[in-house]
Amino acid sequence: MKKFFVLLFIFISVILSSSFCRAMTITGGISATDRVPAGFYGHWKVMAVRVQTTNQNMFAPYTVELWNLSKQNDVITLTNPISGATASITVKDATADTFIFQRVTGEYGDETVTETATLTLNGDNFTGSDTMVVRYYKNGIITKTENVEYKLK
């Protein structure tokens, strides 16, 4: 049902935006997803150790997860086969051996979670950091913010 409403929202947005379109010059460039090193795609065992947090009861001191990073067209998807979680991620920056991605969940509710990860590829391993910021809202105003930073191995 949630997917239906999201698709309906996207459809209505496209219809409305097309009625307000103006002619413009098309510009080209390389998508940030095209700059993500191929070595990042595939299955990873990710160990995360908490470095700092505003709420020790909310965020685990360490986690071990399985990640699968895949790409289809311009969409990079992060899947956790154990939990069943799947998310499309936005690439913020990418170089020869490092990329920064972000995902935001719950953008239209009482709580949003913004996760930003920086990953550096070292042969068959990667290291980096993962930061999560949880914002709670009431009547559109942030009432509370919790955050955590993990070191990834």
Side-chain angles (χ1 to χ4, degrees), residues 35 60 92:
R35 294 184 288 144
K92 295 306 221 178

Side-chain angles (χ1 to χ4, degrees), residues 71-132:
K71 179 181 173 187
Q72 185 171 0
N73 298 322
D74 254 0
V75 178
I76 296 177
T77 303
L78 174 62
T79 304
N80 183 328
I82 293 174
S83 70
T86 299
S88 295
I89 58 175
T90 302
V91 177
K92 295 306 221 178
D93 195 15
T95 63
D97 62 352
T98 300
F99 89 103
I100 300 169
F101 73 79
Q102 187 172 72
R103 71 179 183 91
V104 179
T105 58
E107 288 183 88
Y108 304 105
D110 294 335
E111 173 184 312
T112 62
V113 179
T114 303
E115 180 175 12
T116 306
T118 302
L119 307 176
T120 301
L121 192 60
N122 299 314
D124 290 341
N125 299 300
F126 69 73
T127 58
S129 64
D130 188 19
T131 302
M132 285 184 270

